Amino acid sequence: KRTVRMWTDSVDIEQVELVEKHAWGDSAASKEQILERLRVFPDGNIVVETDKGEIVGYCSGQLVDRISGKSWQEQTDKGYFT
């Protein structure tokens, strides 16, 4: 069984970081970037958790006022979403 829930605090950061690294490899966000995304927009983060409490999926979203001609790196302050 899997449960989708909001992720609103840093308690599960180690598990989220492992999911990020598994999905993105060398391009994965750092722990600091993930925590900053959580701080800036806590309502935009969800995790998928097994019935044993293991996080097996993670999604982080952001709100932007407008789409610009800037690169993703520029638009997100290099992934920090500040």
Side-chain angles (χ1 to χ4, degrees):
K1 179 181 174 187
R2 305 282 192 258
T3 303
V4 177
R5 66 172 172 84
M6 296 297 296
W7 182 52
T8 56
D9 62 47
S10 61
V11 171
D12 300 310
I13 185 60
E14 286 78 19
Q15 289 189 69
V16 170
E17 187 179 21
L18 285 174
V19 169
E20 176 82 12
K21 287 181 179 177
H22 181 75
W24 294 98
D26 291 340
S27 298
S30 68
K31 179 188 274 187
E32 293 76 20
Q33 287 172 311
I34 297 168
L35 288 171
E36 186 64 7
R37 294 171 186 177
L38 183 62
R39 185 192 71 75
V40 171
F41 189 51
D43 291 340
N45 298 277
I46 59 171
V47 293
V48 178
E49 191 172 51
T50 68
D51 56 351
K52 294 180 181 179
E54 179 185 8
I55 293 176
V56 294
Y58 157 72
C59 180
S60 179
Q62 72 180 45
L63 294 175
V64 294
D65 293 336
R66 61 185 167 77
I67 302 297
S68 71
K70 295 179 180 179
S71 69
W72 182 87
Q73 291 285 333
E74 293 171 310
Q75 185 81 18
T76 65
D77 191 23
K78 297 180 182 157
Y80 285 92
F81 293 1
T82 56

